Amino acid sequence: MTLQGARERWVRTGGVELCVAELGDEAQPTVVLVHGYPDSKEVWSEVAARLAERFHVVLYDVRGHGRSTAPRPLRGGFTLEKLTDDFLAVADAVSPDRPVHLVGHDWGSVQAWEFTTVKRTEGRIASFTSMSGPSLDHFGHWIKKRVSHPTPRRVGQLLGQGAKSWYVYLLHTPVLPELAWRGPLGTQWPKILRRLEKVPAGDYPTPSLPTDAAHGAWLYRDNVRARLRRPRTDAYAHAPVQLVTPLGDTFLSEKLCDELERWAPQLVRRTLPAKHWIPRTRPDQLTAWITEFVTAVEGGRPTPVTDGPYADRFGGQLVLVTGAGSGIGRATAFAFAEAGARVVAVDRDAESAARTAELSRLIGAPEAWAETVDVSDEQAMEKLAEKVAAEYGVVDVLVNNAGIGLSGSFFDTTTEDWRNVLDVNLWGVIHGCRLFGKQMTERGQGGHIVNTASAAAYLPSKALPAYSTSKAAVLMLSECLRAELAGQGIGVSAICPGFINTGITSTARFTGVDADEEKRRQKKSARLYGLRNYPPEKVADAVLRAVVRNQAVVPVTAEARGGRLMSRFTPRALRAIARMEPPL
Amino acid sequence: MTSAVAPPGELTAELRGFREVQRLAYECAEAVAAQLKPGVTEREAARMQREWLRERGVRDWFHLPFAWFGDRTAFVGFRIPLQFFPTNRRLEAGMPFILDLAPVHKGYTADIGYSGSLGLNPVQDKLLADLEAHRELILREVRERRPLREIYEDVDRLMVRQGYANRHRAYPFGVIAHKVDRVKERRWSPHLFGFGTQSLKGLASDAIHGHRDGWSPLWSPYKFSDHPPQPGLWAVEPHLGFRGTGAKFEEILVVTDSRDPEQSAFWLDDDLPHVRRWAEDK
Ligand SMILES: NC(=O)c1ccc[n+]([C@@H]2O[C@H](COP(=O)([O-])OP(=O)(O)OC[C@H]3O[C@@H](n4cnc5c(N)ncnc54)[C@H](O)[C@@H]3O)[C@@H](O)[C@H]2O)c1
């Protein structure tokens, strides 16, 4: 079926026969993918195909699932001890001489935690990437701690996770789950996945689903109660662990992993905005993180550091920033670089873009490139989009930031002036959203677009008619696009800064005055912005926060926030201010 | 003193006196830097500098030695001047540090800044390399007799272009440089907030005289620095910051009233650790 080009073999162990599939070059490090409930190994088809370009990829159907046979009797046939036997049998068959890299999702991760924390597998596991499946032992201790020392917060956490575990109680009832899965739930499940979990349609789930789900109920019945009541006290990981947490998981609370460093000292944390079935919905991101982690462990290099702010979220992601040669754009590129993102610094000024890329590499970007492009040039932007997709990949976060200033009365603003400012400030954003947003939607694995608007977008002023118009357009464009892309896991944010101390004042154009007077006004406004002294780095922080929290409109600085409130509640006062002469 | 340049290439006795104490100060910084180990605190590093120089006869200070470790090299989160004083912050592998010391020796003052790191620190290396352009820019524009305030702004612009933040703005009055002078040797030389009272007296009297004549011994971004370079000795200290890492140098620039551009301003000494380092990197 979906595992194209896979080599199959059967491994006999403990009274069952396991169906094992292999992809990729056997000389490369072995990555073993373990599926969850109710799934079969095909849940990994997208990830496996991608990983196979670099690794020897091994998948197997857990006993009683997919094409592997089920133990007889079922009761007592799914204990973690037996599942560990199965894993060792598979590992010995596919990689007898070298330890393997484990990857588990959901119940596959629950099992793999057991593999990684019991003595008898020591030396057989090189690393473990865990997704949405805690160790039952760690979970048991987590509950115990909260029950024995209840504080209001801990009780809240207990109730929170308790509510998310409703299905676990249901699965403990006899016979009913089996009936449901073999009946209506089994037929409806693909639709449910698509509707609620946004899992793309296709050849997943497989026809074996009703049996997988019925048998898999014994995973819970055989293990959950026993382990939660008497969790092992020695469940320490003997291999480096990478923890991938989808923030929109409806079954597991993030809080479960708060104290994980105690059990897994070399923990690398990753988070992503997605729901539970990330092997289906985010295969590119998972492949990138697994590849990075496995390569680091294999190379004996320190595992990626993810303790900077937001490094768990942006590590390894591809971020493109326009206007990255100065001010807010440059600070934003640096902030993403510090979080471990790969950075494309775009600016029409080649030298400053190159500088941004160079310094980005110094402070944590694994890779950074400079691209010299004028964002208002449609063809150049098209070329850029093609090049980026071909050479660096699909952009995960796009920051349309390039912009220019223009000040002067409406009647002093020539059509040429209008064209200039709209070409850069509005069309630049349109081109960026159109080209890179399209690549994001076509990939179908989420992403985020940030547009730098301005507080001028909602604060009228007789001194800034053209600039404010362009920014108001950017703000509205962002809101509309946000509505359109909401269903595809792509967020859109508009950032509205107030007065930020950047170079924009010395390059802004002042219409209706001669060159000397323009110079004087540039200097004067530069000094005023300098006195306000709000650093672009703080705007950059707001940009990263906006992406992490998927905020729609983010005013930055007190004047921008205050202005936003006034535009809602006292618009007449703003109109009065709009008529004042600027102090230049 | 101010026109005190002997035949080209040679220094007057007075300038030799300043150069000697400046060299002594840099020697001290290099000696202390070589002894820094993981776990040493800023206070200990400051005391090591004091003791090293005491043993070599230094009794008075323009200011007591400073030591900044880690993100304190970029003055992250500094709001009040007391934060400049050495703390119990401990040095760790890879951390950047800055030693800043200003001894008075035989009546001559030095004020120097030495940047380094414990082991490799590529970010600070880059900052240090990029300071070279500032040393050149400052000398060139002083020779052109540009107003100090404008030179300050040009340094600022260069820093921003390089992608860095101006950290000398954090110093009192935001100065990039201040005048230094000879100091009378006294048996007892108390300090006030870490500054030698003798030197403070010198600065204050300069400030009073300068105020009358329209110049200031402090080279700042403010209006009172809107005047061409004033002859004398200036301790110049451009200080770059980049995301929690800082680097600076500090050394004496001699300004004279000579009409010959070369003689009108020059660095007191070109044989200093940072200058040698730039030469080696080429
Ligand atoms: N500085 C402020 O006070 C402020 C306030 C609100 C909004 N903004 C917006 O923030 C954004 C960034 O501004 P900044 O303050 O950092 O300004 P900046 O001038 O420091 O940086 C803008 C950068 O964009 C580049 N750029 C300009 N036109 C371009 C084009 N056509 N193609 C490619 N690159 C181009 C410039 O070369 C420069 O490097 C702008 O959109 C601006 O309108 C700034």
Side-chain angles (χ1 to χ4, degrees), chain A residues 323 326 328 347-348 373-375 401 452-453 467 471 498 500 502 529:
Chain A
S326 165
I328 296 169
D347 204 289
R348 66 175 164 200
V373 175
D374 180 341
V375 295
N401 163 80
T452 313
Y467 180 79
K471 292 300 184 180
I500 315 299
T502 72
Y529 278 54

Side-chain angles (χ1 to χ4, degrees), chain A residues 95-329:
Chain A
S95 175
D97 310 318
R98 287 165 71 183
V100 302
H101 297 271
L102 256 176
V103 178
H105 174 246
D106 185 90
W107 250 91
S109 168
V110 175
Q111 294 183 47
W113 269 113
E114 172 82 359
F115 310 160
T116 313
T117 55
V118 293
K119 276 269 167 308
R120 61 192 172 118
T121 57
E122 231 166 291
R124 297 298 293 134
I125 298 172
S127 79
F128 168 36
T129 297
S130 158
M131 308 167 195
S132 294
S135 149
L136 290 183
D137 300 303
H138 302 166
F139 193 12
H141 287 292
W142 186 88
I143 294 175
K144 275 203 167 156
K145 186 168 168 187
R146 280 158 184 77
V147 172
S148 54
H149 301 283
T151 61
R153 160 180 297 175
R154 285 176 169 172
V155 171
Q157 291 176 347
L158 262 181
L159 294 176
Q161 180 55 46
K164 288 186 167 198
S165 301
W166 53 270
Y167 65 100
V168 180
Y169 320 128
L170 283 184
L171 282 168
H172 276 85
T173 56
V175 194
L176 278 179
E178 278 88 341
L179 283 179
W181 280 113
R182 293 192 197 273
L185 188 55
T187 21
Q188 291 304 312
W189 188 244
K191 233 182 270 165
I192 296 176
L193 279 184
R194 226 167 300 151
R195 186 107 24 94
L196 295 180
E197 288 287 325
K198 311 279 182 217
V199 169
D203 32 23
Y204 166 88
T206 58
S208 64
L209 169 76
T211 1
D212 299 343
H215 288 158
W218 289 100
L219 290 168
Y220 294 85
R221 294 171 187 156
D222 276 351
N223 297 296
V224 173
R225 252 182 300 182
R227 281 301 174 97
L228 293 191
R229 213 170 292 153
R230 279 180 306 279
R232 283 162 49 214
T233 52
D234 61 347
Y236 295 100
H238 47 66
V241 179
Q242 165 168 253
L243 179 76
V244 179
T245 310
L247 297 172
D249 199 318
T250 34
F251 306 109
L252 289 165
S253 137
E254 293 163 64
K255 296 277 171 278
L256 269 184
C257 304
D258 275 358
E259 294 138 20
L260 206 53
E261 271 81 0
R262 180 181 150 209
W263 302 103
Q266 306 170 36
L267 189 71
V268 174
R269 287 176 184 270
R270 309 286 194 187
T271 59
L272 73 174
K275 298 193 156 201
H276 183 74
W277 264 274
I278 44 180
R280 302 307 305 173
T281 58
R282 297 290 183 270
D284 283 345
Q285 182 64 78
L286 294 185
T287 306
W289 281 338
I290 295 168
T291 304
E292 191 188 351
F293 191 60
V294 170
T295 328
V297 171
E298 283 287 319
R301 274 180 286 128
T303 47
V305 182
T306 52
D307 50 6
Y310 305 132
D312 57 338
R313 170 65 190 276
F314 297 117
Q317 291 210 325
L318 185 63
V319 177
L320 185 142
V321 184
T322 69
S326 165
I328 296 169

Side-chain angles (χ1 to χ4, degrees), chain B residues 29-46:
Chain B
E30 286 188 303
V32 169
Q35 289 172 42
L36 293 180
K37 284 192 241 342
V40 172
T41 67
E42 288 180 356
R43 283 179 199 217
E44 286 161 358

Side-chain angles (χ1 to χ4, degrees), chain A residues 506 523, chain B residues 134 146 150-163:
Chain A
S506 7
K523 237 181 163 168
Chain B
H134 291 276
R146 297 270 310 281
E150 280 180 21
I151 304 179
Y152 190 105
E153 287 171 349
D154 283 347
V155 170
D156 241 13
R157 265 190 285 275
L158 176 56
M159 287 183 174
V160 168
R161 239 194 351 267
Q162 289 175 329

